[in-house]
């Protein structure tokens, strides 16, 4: 089985090429005793791609809960009795204050997130107005948005407002998607991703592991991301939320979580691979190793409905693991 590691090393490092599905499948099947070597290879590929740079992002939940969709992992769906209390869309000055706080905490990127299927005209106007206000105050801050399914007019308005990046996760494989969501389709997600790229927006697309997908689903998911070519791949690990259909699922095995981070780096060698929600409960004491398994960024501190750990713990981790935080 070590042959596949040699092959991967040759393609990824010597030839600076992209691993095909057969090689990724071989790496996914490596015995646990060889996972350490896989993580080390992914770390080397990350260092070649982005050196010691670490990208730190803060999320802003600008409209919490009450979502019409039924994503089975999500406590913001109005269909489930969860601990999330729906809140209306925030005012423009609240977006600005949140962005200023994110900058002060050391983030170079601020992602505006809303719990909707797709933006209404009023919501889009608010996000665009807020983006303009943020960029007028902090032109160096990268503004990203996660607004659900987008059409061409939405994308054009976002570009005009100065939004740099759109997050829209594939979440999982095409085959597994109907098992996690029935109110919109994988194809709708795929089309939004392509549309954002067509408009010149940077694409951030990843997903969540631990939602009952098979090893093949994880490979299909990575292969789809390879095809899509996002500049950023956020990796979330299921944090089973009370009240959701996935409340009773187990947390992902940490070794398999690390393997997936490494596979994502090797599948998309030049992408920003960002450790996101669920990293604390999944990796626990292995978060440092997560950063040395191919990752090149983190979501700082807290997620949309769940808390992370203290900022100083995350910055200490980045320092310990040899990263320099991008400012
Ligand atoms: S993941 Fe997004 S679209 Fe799905 S229920 Fe949650 S907020 Fe709505």
């Amino acid at each position: 089985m070590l042959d596949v590691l040699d092959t991967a090393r040759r393609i990824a490092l010597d030839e600076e090429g992209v691993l095909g599905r057969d090689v990724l499948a071989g790496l996914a099947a490596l015995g646990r005793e060889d996972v350490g070597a896989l993580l080390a290879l992914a770390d080397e590929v990350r260092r070649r791609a982005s050196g010691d740079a670490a990208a730190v992002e803060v999320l802003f939940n600008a409209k919490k809960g009450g979502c019409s969709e039924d994503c089975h992992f999500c406590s913001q769906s109005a269909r489930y009795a969860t601990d999330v209390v729906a809140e209306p869309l925030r005012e423009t000055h609240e977006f600005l204050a949140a962005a200023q706080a994110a900058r002060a905490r050391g983030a170079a990127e601020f992602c505006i997130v809303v719990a909707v299927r797709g933006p209404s005209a009023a919501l889009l106007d608010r996000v665009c107005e807020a983006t303009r206000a943020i960029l007028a105050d902090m032109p160096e801050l990268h503004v990203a948005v996660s607004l659900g399914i987008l059409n061409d007019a939405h994308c054009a308005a976002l570009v005009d407002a100065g939004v740099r990046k759109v997050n829209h996760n594939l979440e999982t494989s095409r085959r597994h998607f109907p098992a996690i969501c029935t109110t919109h389709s994988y194809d709708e997600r795929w089309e939004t991703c392509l549309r954002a790229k067509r408009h010149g927006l940077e694409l951030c697309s990843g997903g969540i592991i631990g939602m009952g997908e098979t090893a093949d689903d994880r490979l299909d998911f990575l292969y789809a991301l390879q095809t899509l070519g996002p500049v950023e791949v956020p990796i979330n690990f299921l944090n089973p939320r009370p009240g959701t259909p996935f409340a009773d699922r187990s947390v992902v095995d940490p070794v398999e979580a690390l393997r997936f981070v490494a596979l994502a780096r090797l599948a998309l060698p030049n992408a920003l691979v960002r450790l996101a929600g669920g990293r604390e409960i999944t990796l626990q004491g292995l978060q440092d190793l997560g950063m040395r398994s191919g990752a090149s960024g983190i979501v700082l501190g807290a997620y949309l409905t769940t808390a992370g750990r203290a900022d100083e713990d995350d910055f200490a981790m980045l320092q310990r693991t040899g990263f320099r935080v991008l400012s």
Side-chain angles (χ1 to χ4, degrees), residues 67-71 73-77 114-117 171 184 189:
C67 182
S68 62
E69 304 305 284
D70 75 345
C71 305
F73 56 85
C74 183
S75 57
Q76 300 202 80
S77 169
V114 292
V116 293
R117 173 187 170 85
E171 304 297 12
H184 59 267
R189 286 188 170 259

Side-chain angles (χ1 to χ4, degrees), residues 58-63 90 94-95 98 110-114 304:
V58 164
L59 307 182
F60 174 55
N61 200 349
K63 192 206 81 69
R90 302 290 190 91
E94 295 177 291
F95 284 68
F110 178 70
C111 186
I112 298 165
V113 187
V114 292
L304 300 173

Side-chain angles (χ1 to χ4, degrees), residues 167 169 204-208 221 232-236 272-276:
N167 163 261
N169 289 338
C204 164
S205 187
I208 306 175
F221 173 40
E232 175 179 341
V233 178
I235 299 177
N236 298 273
L272 194 182
V273 174
R274 196 186 299 276
L275 300 184

Side-chain angles (χ1 to χ4, degrees), residues 143-156:
V143 176
V145 299
S146 186
L147 309 179
I149 295 163
L150 301 176
N151 62 27
D152 283 317
H154 297 148
C155 291

